[in-house]
Structures are given as C-alpha cells and as structure tokens.
Amino acid sequence: MANTFFLVALLVVFHFSMPTFSKKLTTIVTDQSALLTLKHHVIQNPENVLSTNWSISIPVCNWISVSCGSKHQRVTALDLTGLGLVGTLPPHLGNLSFLSLLYLTNNSFHGRLPVQLSKLRRLKYLNLGNNSFSGEIPLWLGALTELRRLYLYGNNFNSSIPLSLGYLPKLERLSLYENQISGSIPSSIFNISSLQLIDLRNNMLSGYIPSVPRDLLSLELINFNFNNLTGHIPKDMFDHLPNLKGLDLSGNLLSGNIPNSLCEIPIEIGKLTLLEQFDCGINNFTGTIPPQIGDLKNLEILDLGLNNIGGPIPPAIFNISTLSMIDLTFNQLSGHLPSNMGLSLPNLEELYLGGNHLVGLLGNLSGSLMEFSADGCNIRGNIPSEIGNLSSLINIMLSNNKLTGSIPTTIGGLKKLQSASLSENKLEGPIPSELCHLNNLAFLYLTSNKLSGSIPSCLGNLISLRELLLGTNMFSSSIHSTLTQLKDLLVLNLSSNSLSGPLPIDIGKWKVATSMDLSSNQFSSDIPTGIAELKDLTYFSLSNNKITGFIPESFGELLSLEHLDLSRNNLSGEIPKSLVKLLYLSYFNVSFNRLQGEIPSGGLFGNYSMESFQGNGALCGAPQLHLPSCEPKSPENSKARTRLVIYVVLPIASTLLVATLIFIILQNTKRKNKLQTQEEMLPLGSWRRVSYHELHQATDGFSESKLLDEDMVAHLSDFGIAKLLCDDDSIIQTMTMATIGYMAPESGTEGIISTKVITDSHLELKCTCLWRKSRGSEREVNSVASGDKEDGGEKPENFQRVEQVNHDFEDKEKKDFRKVKPIGENFTKPSEVDRVEVAASEWDRKGDPFHLKRKVLEADKAKQEVEIRSESSTEEFGRPSPELSKTRWDAETNEAKKTLNLGKKIGMQIIGNEQEALDEMRMLVLQEK
C-alpha cells in the first residue's frame, strides 16, 4: 500500500515539475508547426500523403488525416493508420494540447515514445499497434487519466507492465498482446472497474493469475493465452465476474507443485452464466469436467483441449444449444460418445474429440457440422452411410481408429468437403468413384488401410487437390496419365503398394510438388527427364522398385532437394557430378544398384556414410566409405586420346567407309555384267569304284527298256544322279559318284548337286536314245563329231537329219518335259567331264573301243544339240535356232573332240588302269587322224 502512494506522489511531482507548453499561449500555428515537424521525421512516405498535402499553403484543418474541433479550431484527432510511414515521433507532438485521438496503427514507426506525449491530457484513444516501437512501456502513461483505450500490441516493447496502468480510472480496453513483455500481471489491473477487455496474449508473462478483489461488472473478455503463467485459476475470479463472456487461458503452464484440488476446474464456473467463450486449452489441468458446465446456457466456444482431464464427457455439454465449437482433443477422456450428440446441438460447427480413449460407434451428427475430428479415439465399426447428409462438412478426420468395411458411396454428397483423413484404419475395397465428385477436395489421406484395385483415373479431375496420400495399401495397376493433370499438387505418396508400369512421362507437370514418395512398388521404367521441372521438390523417393537406366544429370537442378532415395533399384552408370550443387541434400541413398565409377566429391557428399553407397560393386571413392580408391585420370592422357580420336581414328574410319562403299558398288556392277553364276567348289571326296558287273546287272545288260520306255518316260527317277557317298558330310556341297544308270552332266568334276540337274538330264538321256533309234549311220555320227561341213559354212546334211529328228519329237518333248518338274528356273550348261560319263561306264565292259566311241559321240552330239536349242529358244522350250554359223559349228565340233579324248582318259582312270588309258588315247588319236 505504501508503494502505491509513493507511485502516485511521484507521478504528481513528475507531472507538475516538468516545463510545459501549456503555460504558454498556443494556437493553431503551434499545431501546424508540430505536424510539420512530424512530417520531417518521416523518412518514407509511400503514398506521398504528407509531402503533397501537408503544406503551409493549405489550412491545417484541411490536411488529410487531421481533424479539428469546431469550438476552438484546434487539432483534436490525428489518424495516420495504414499509410506505410517510416520514421520516429518528434517530441513536438506534445504541443497538440487539444488532441484526444492519436492513431498511428499499421506503420513502421520505431524508437521510443517521447516523454512529451504525457502532456496530452485530453487524450482518450491511443493506438500505436503494429509498429516497431521498442523499449519499456512508459511509466508516464499512468498520467493520461482520460485514456479509454490503450493499444500497444504488435510492437517490440519489453520489460514488465507498469503498475501505473492500474490507475487509469476510465480505461476500458487494454491490449498489449504480441510484444516481449515479461514479469507478472499487476494485480492493480483488476482495480479498474470500467475495464471491459484485457488482452495480454503472446507475451512472456509469468507468475500467478491475480485474484479479483472486487466485482468487475463490465469485464467481458480475459485473454492470457500463450504465456508462461503458472498456478491455478483463483476460485474468487468467478465470483466477481458475472458478465464475463470470454476466458482464454490456453497455452500456459497452469500447474505446478500445488494440491490437485487447486488444479481442478472449479465448479463455480457455473456462475458465469453469460460466459460465451471458455478456453483453457494447452495447459495441465487435471480432474474431470464439472457437470455444472452444462449451466452455461450462452456458451458458444468450449476449449479444453491438450490437458490431462479424465473421466467421461458430461452429457450436459451436449445440451448447450448455443455451442458452435467443442474442443476436447488430447485429454484422457473415456466412455462412450453420445449417440444423439448431434440432435441437441443445432449450431455446432466444429467438434474436436481426437486423442482420447473414447469407444463406440459414430452416431448422429449435427447437420450444421463443418469440422469433425475424432482421430485416435478407438472408434469401431463402419462409417455410417448417413455421413453423406452432412452437406456443410468441410473437414473430416477419422484416422487411427478401427473403422472397417468400405468407404460409403454416399461420401459423394459432401460437396463442400475440402479435407478427408481416413488413414490407419482397416478399410477395404476400392476407392469409390463418387469421391471424384468432390470438386473442392484439397487433402485426401487414405494411407495404411487395406484398400485395393486401381487408383481411379477420375482423381485427375479434382484439380483442387494439394495432397494425395494413398501409401501402404494394396493398389495395383499403374499411375494413370490423368493424375498429371493435378498441376497444383504439393504432396504425393503412393508408397508400399503394388503399382507397376512406367513412371509418368509427363511427371514434370507436377511443377509445384514439394514431396513425392513412390517407394516400394514395382515401377520398371527409366527416371523421366521431366523430373528437372520439379524445382520446388524437397523430398523424393523411388527406393525398392525396378527402375532402370541412369540417374539423370537434371537432378542437379533441383536445388531445394533435401531427401533423395534411389536405393534398391536397377540403376546403372555413374552418380552425376551435378548432385554436388544440392546444398540442402541432407539425405542421399543410392545403395543396392548397379552404379559404377567415382563417387562425386564436394558439396554434401563428404557427410554421407557408406550406407548410402553399399551394394554397388563398381563404385569407388574416399577411404572413409570403405570403397576401393579410384584410379587417377591423367589430363594429358585424356587429351592425347582425344587427339588420337580426332586425327587418326576418324580419318581411318572415314577412309574405310568410302572404300567399302566403292567395293559394294563395283561388286554390284560386276554381278550385273556376269553371264552365269558359278557355284562354290570344294575338294572332291574319294569316289567309290563301281564295277562293270554292278552296272550290267542293274541295267539288265544295258537294256534300253530299263532306262526309257517306248513313250520316252524315264524309269530312273534321278536319271543316275549320284548317291551321296563321302566320308565328310556337308549341307552345302557333296562329293558325288555315278550310281547305276546315267550320270548327270551337272554332277561331274565339281561334285556339286545342281538344282537344275533333273530336267537337263532328262533331255540328254532322251536325246541319246533318239539318236540311237534314228536312221543315221555310225559314219554320219562320226562325221558330225569330227567336224565335217559343207563349203560356205552351211550345215552338213547329216546335221540337217539330226535337226529333222528334233522337229519330229519337239512336241512330244514339250509334253514329257512338263512331267519332270524342274527344280531351278533355268538350265545349266554341262561341263566337259559330264559329257563322257557314259563313255566311262561303257569302257568298263572292255568292248570295242570304236563301238564305245560311237556311243560317246552320240551322247556328245545330243548334248550339243540340246545346248544349241536351249540357247536359241525364246518363249518355248526346245525350238532350234534358224541358222548355225560356221564359227559356232567349228567351235562345237572341236569341243566334242576334246571331250572325247578327255573322257577316254578319265574312263580309264575310273577302272584304275592308267597305262591302258594312255595306250587307248594314242589309238584314238591315230584313228581320228
């Protein structure tokens, strides 16, 4: 009490001892001078109000933001709210002796308040909120006895609340919130009978809540939230505050080493019958909720969240029809939820029950409900289909319960729904397509359930989605391309599902995404290059998939990245050096891939442990990572390799390319100019000897009937084509030997089975037989073979007879030729050795050499005729050339002679008597001469 009198005396002395301007004669000129001084103390005037309007050429009372009294024509109000002014307050403002209102709200004035402002004894309204004033709250404010409203909120005032403020007898509103005020709450504040509002929230106040010594009939709101107050709520507080409407004590430390009975919510709270807001959340209150709280018939807001209150929820609470918000979150409440809690609360908009130990099912809820939270309340059963009737619902939070069944399709009726959290339950089945009708949905949390099926493609139509969390479910299929239409998506979690297929190629459309978790799936594509478009990405995980390819260099452009996990995939190549630019990358993991090469150095790579790189057999790096050191690369060698490639390898490669092209062109030209194609030749195998006895027996004494019948039809299907007899088999070429019958000319010296052999052989054998049946004599045949001819190059008479025979059977030959289907498209010219195979076979009989000669000449002549007819034919087979030139005739007859001689030699070699072959060759030469 003594201190109080001392302070009052000090204020009186301070007030009258200071020199004042009031003793001097003041006029409107004095006010003008004070305001011009203020103008000069303003260093920034964004709207130029003061610089363009505050001028001596304009009367002061006409200045913007200035008001004058009608009686004295003096400045009575100065309101500079929200002009963005920067500067300090000059002491000359104390000369505005008639000033009753000073509003400087929402500017950037700084510094201390000048003490000269204490002379404004007519001042009733002082609002300095939302500036940058600092220092102590002035003691001299207690001298402004006419003050009704004092707003100093949103500044940097420190120290404690001066006791002098308790002696402002007319003060109605005291607002000091959001400063750095410390110390305790002065008890003198509760001596101001006119007080209506006390707002001291968001400071650093400590100590106990002072008791209320007298009735404060005008006090309606007390807000002490978010300080460091301790102790308990005084019981007498509720006895002297009959008209209190709002009490907010949340965010303090109202506990301590005091009896539990003093920490309980007093039952006297029921006396606050006009109370509209009761907020004691975020404290350490214990005990139970008193049932008397049901007597607060005007209560609109009840906040007891984040305490240690236990017991059941009093049913009386749900009888307060005026309630619009109930917050009982994170207490120790137990018991059942009332099944009819929504019927008696027609105005309830917000209901928060999460973090308690409640049981039971979801019952009827108020149709006006906008926010409903019951996370972690042990709620069981299905989500009732009636939930679709909550047409005003904006947010629903039912995560971490024991809900079963499926998501009801009636959820599509919640047209205003913006957030739905059903995570950590036991929900099953697919996501209902009706969910895609919620066009205002921004947050969808369905993680840790048993949901299955594919992710609905229609979710891509919910363009309001900001966060989509579907992780730890049983979703399959792939990411539908429509999801990339969510251009404003911030968070995407599809982890721990069975999703497969490629990553979206247009992943870059999620440009504003900050977090993306696609881990523990079966994605199997390369990382899309569009990842570089996600400039705001801070968290990215693709771990435990089947991702292939390289780590894109473009990851180095994601400068905001803090978490990158690419572990347990099939990535190959090197770790990009560009990742050293990621200065915020605190977590990096590429373990268990197929990466190789040197681990980058620099940036944050020195902070990563070996766990980030293990499971990559070809990586090398610093010793602390327990990896093999990398072989140093010589810059000179690298430059030498580059020069080698440029000056040596490239010219050689170019030359080879040009040469190859020239060779190909020449080869093509050569092939076009070739008249016939030569087949590949391999060395002959060892021929099997065939005895005369075997040939004689097989042909029944060389009977013509065994070879051709009267209609010239062959009885040997292959016409003597050699049976493939050789020790070394080949699928390309064979070593041939004549079998029983006639050896085809094409199968002679080279041992090659031609695809054109059958038809030629057919004709040759027929021609041989025809010649033998013809009326020609041995002399005529010998004449043809020896090259006899008429003068003038005309064909001899004997050859004309041969031509006539050919004409006789030409038609027959055409018909028979069709019976033997040629394997090739054209006939192949016979070789020299082929022409004497008959001679070789006949020679084995040891018969008359002249008789054998006749047969050889017959075969040779027939062969020549076939060649001539084949070369001369155009459209039809077998038509002879009209004329045969003398040159051609000489060439053909000479060829026959050579063939005869060669055949004799080969024939003797076949039977193994070389000397006899030589003697016989000499005899033939003499006879031919």
Side-chain angles (χ1 to χ4, degrees), residues 212-228:
V212 181
R214 54 183 295 183
D215 290 340
L216 299 178
L217 303 179
S218 300
L219 191 57
E220 296 181 351
L221 177 63
I222 298 175
N223 193 340
F224 294 161
N225 72 9
F226 293 100
N227 281 281
N228 297 317

Side-chain angles (χ1 to χ4, degrees), residues 16 93 111 243 247 494 651 694 862 901:
F16 291 103
L93 289 180
N243 296 316
L247 176 62
L494 303 179
E694 289 174 327
N901 294 332

